[in-house]
Amino acid sequence: MPNTTLSDASAQLERTRAPVSKGDGRRSRLMLPALLLPVFMAVSNTFIVNVATPSIQQGLGASFADVQFILTGYTLTFAVLLIIGARLGDRFGRRRMLFIGVAFFTIASLFCGLSAHVTMLIASRVLQGVGAALFMPQVLSLIQANYTPERRGAIFGMYGATQGIAATAGQIIGGLLLRINLWDLDWRTVFLISVLLGALILALIPFIPESGSPDRAGLDWIGAALAAAGLLMLVYPLVQGQREGWPAGLVVSLLLSAPVLVLFAWYEQRLLRSGRLPFMNVDLFRHKVFTFGILVVLLLMSTQGAFFLVAAYMLQLGLHFSALQAGLVIGSMGMGYFLASLFSSRVAAKLGAHVLTVGSILTTAGYLLLSWAVQTTGISSDIGVWIPALAVLGIGQGFVAAPLTNIVLAKIRTTDIGSASGVMTTSIQIASTIGIALIGIVWLNALGAHTGSVSAYPDAFNICLYVLAAATALILPLALMLARRSGARLS
């Protein structure tokens, strides 16, 4: 489930005059749907596609590594270009960039649905990531520009709720589309639905007033290139290495990714010292609360993205559930997440940052309970005992993800909040990409030579759950340190 953060594009808060609510009548009524529907489209797309991955693999005769690229091609491109998209909106107009991004995403979705080969599908997913990176940062900036401070709190709440609903509904929508199977299009419908939604959004965007930023500083293209190169050198070998038997070229690429990313950090620091605007404000990591918070984001979102992938394979190929049945099962986790998100503010009011402590314990317990449930049911389709475990898992993740942004950004200077939230949003996509890549290695090694044997799936799934539980357990000491730095006390 996604975390809710302010995009880097909102960094202009203190440099612009306080806006007033613009538009009335029809324009006013249609502006909010025009802003929230792109968020729903981008978030739900990830989960709709995830539940369809087994069908895509079978339909295209693809490998598991190909499926990983179908997922990570989107998230990695989204992560690397997100800040660039925000800066382009500031420079050339946010409504204009929103329109261009949605149009790009819509056309890329059509290419996805028409793909005859896995290579074309992966390339089209990369193009979808480009489109999402262009339009997603504009939404929060346009909310900032078009609503008064008194109304923004409620609007931002709707923004967060839209993300949660999209994540939960995406699994079910994907399952329904595969179940209905219009015109025998099978998995292609999970992409073509975005074409229809994109067309609707494009028709609504003219009801949003244009806005831009008075600060039109140039973009740090060298920093962006270094970040993209380092992340690609890290992720590509993780996804492809298992399939190719770890050839020397991929091993070298993996080893060189670290110095390239270090070079990126050094270059960004140099830009800061010279008074220029860097791609990423690395000085933010001098704040320990922010650093601990980013580590929590990386752990939570990497395990989350990994879990959804292996759960789809376990349910659909291991237990022979339909995509709709699988979506409904995972939906119990989404409901737990949604309810926890609603009540997390009340818990945080009493426990402070220790709400993250509670969430990390519940999340780890959820993985372990699910592991016990899987051991109990084996290859039986009677998996009623999974539901409480999934609910606990969702509740735990909701108690971590929902309040995390406010806790982490509370001690960041107002002028740095835009940059800090941009780093957090980018970290979410990077973490999901790396998590999917790493869990693929664990999953394939656990299956070994038994990839075609249904009886091997529960054991492989359990190994993945143990790994995810161990990674999530690392959130606990970070949560305790965050609570101590924030001055929270258990009451």
Side-chain angles (χ1 to χ4, degrees):
M1 309 296 165
N3 189 15
T4 306
T5 64
L6 300 178
S7 90
D8 185 61
S10 65
Q12 314 302 328
L13 173 60
E14 296 301 310
R15 287 175 284 185
T16 56
R17 63 182 177 85
V20 295
S21 185
K22 298 181 181 179
D24 52 15
R26 188 180 181 191
R27 173 183 287 271
S28 181
R29 289 193 300 270
L30 293 178
M31 182 167 62
L32 187 58
L35 290 170
L36 295 183
L37 279 174
V39 177
F40 182 89
M41 181 172 68
V43 175
S44 65
N45 176 267
T46 300
F47 293 91
I48 290 172
V49 173
N50 185 85
V51 80
T53 48
S55 298
I56 294 172
Q57 181 176 355
Q58 293 173 344
L60 290 178
S63 67
F64 186 78
D66 291 330
V67 169
Q68 287 179 286
F69 277 126
I70 290 169
L71 298 175
T72 59
Y74 174 77
T75 55
L76 181 59
T77 307
F78 190 179
V80 172
L81 298 182
L82 185 68
I83 296 177
I84 295 177
R87 301 275 168 77
L88 291 175
D90 290 343
R91 192 173 185 85
F92 298 108
R94 293 159 184 160
R95 184 182 69 176
R96 178 183 299 170
M97 203 53 57
L98 177 68
F99 187 93
I100 292 172
V102 171
F104 207 95
F105 188 95
T106 303
I107 294 170
S109 298
L110 178 61
F111 287 156
C112 287
L114 297 177
S115 295
H117 189 273
V118 68
T119 303
M120 180 178 176
L121 180 54
I122 292 170
S124 300
R125 286 285 284 166
V126 169
L127 294 179
Q128 274 191 320
V130 173
L134 290 176
F135 73 73
M136 277 294 282
Q138 317 311 329
V139 174
L140 284 165
S141 296
L142 287 165
I143 290 174
Q144 189 76 53
N146 288 288
Y147 290 94
T148 60
E150 294 76 17
R151 294 190 63 190
R152 282 185 208 136
I155 302 298
F156 283 138
M158 293 181 191
Y159 176 91
T162 300
Q163 288 188 314
I165 293 170
T168 303
Q171 301 271 348
I172 299 172
I173 292 172
L176 277 171
L177 290 171
L178 290 171
R179 177 69 175 271
I180 296 172
N181 193 18
L182 287 172
W183 302 296
D184 290 325
L185 291 172
D186 194 35
W187 58 267
R188 299 176 189 278
T189 56
V190 303
F191 296 107
L192 296 177
I193 190 68
S194 293
V195 178
L196 298 177
L197 185 55
L200 173 62
I201 295 169
L202 291 174
L204 291 174
I205 287 176
F207 293 97
I208 305 172
E210 181 62 282
S211 75
S213 169
D215 182 0
R216 301 195 173 191
L219 183 64
D220 171 22
W221 291 106
I222 295 177
L226 286 172
L231 291 171
L232 186 61
M233 291 168 68
L234 172 65
V235 174
Y236 184 83
L238 292 176
V239 174
Q240 197 70 3
Q242 182 81 5
R243 179 183 181 183
E244 297 185 8
W246 292 102
L250 292 183
V251 174
V252 170
S253 173
L254 187 61
L255 293 175
L256 289 179
S257 65
V260 171
L261 291 173
V262 169
L263 177 62
F264 163 73
W266 172 83
Y267 181 78
E268 298 301 280
Q269 187 72 33
R270 182 183 174 190
L271 282 186
L272 275 173
R273 294 294 172 262
S274 65
R276 289 179 288 172
L277 185 65
F279 180 76
M280 180 182 291
N281 184 358
V282 292
D283 268 1
L284 289 168
F285 292 96
R286 294 180 182 274
H287 300 275
K288 291 188 177 180
V289 169
F290 182 78
T291 301
F292 293 152
I294 291 297
L295 290 175
V296 171
V297 168
L298 292 173
L299 287 169
L300 179 67
M301 302 311 298
S302 62
T303 54
Q304 203 176 84
F307 172 76
F308 285 126
L309 176 61
V310 293
Y313 273 78
M314 174 64 195
L315 288 167
Q316 294 183 52
L317 298 186
L319 301 183
H320 301 295
F321 278 30
S322 68
L324 177 58
Q325 290 173 318
L328 290 171
V329 170
I330 300 299
S332 59
M333 177 182 168
M335 286 304 300
Y337 181 95
F338 181 71
L339 292 173
S341 299
L342 291 179
F343 291 101
S344 63
S345 59
R346 297 182 186 180
V347 177
K350 293 183 177 180
L351 301 182
H354 276 299
V355 66
L356 304 180
T357 306
V358 174
S360 64
I361 293 172
L362 288 175
T363 303
T364 304
Y367 281 124
L368 295 176
L369 284 171
L370 184 57
S371 174
W372 169 82
V374 172
Q375 290 176 2
T376 301
T377 58
I379 58 173
S380 170
S381 60
D382 185 13
I383 61 169
V385 291
W386 285 34
I387 306 303
L390 286 167
V392 170
L393 179 58
I395 291 170
Q397 291 186 347
F399 277 142
V400 175
L404 183 59
T405 301
N406 287 336
I407 292 171
V408 171
L409 299 184
K411 296 190 176 182
I412 298 294
R413 293 183 306 175
T414 304
T415 52
D416 289 333
I417 283 183
S419 295
S421 55
V423 172
M424 290 188 71
T425 307
T426 301
S427 298
I428 290 171
Q429 302 300 325
I430 292 172
S432 180
T433 301
I434 293 175
I436 290 169
L438 291 176
I439 205 64
I441 297 173
V442 177
W443 175 257
L444 292 176
N445 280 328
L447 285 177
H450 306 290
T451 53
S453 173
V454 172
S455 60
Y457 274 62
D459 288 339
F461 189 46
N462 256 323
I463 291 173
C464 291
L465 291 175
Y466 290 142
V467 170
L468 297 176
T472 306
L474 296 175
I475 294 177
L476 179 58
L478 293 169
L480 291 172
M481 287 187 280
L482 274 170
R484 185 175 64 183
R485 291 280 175 179
S486 303
R489 296 180 182 272
L490 285 169
S491 58

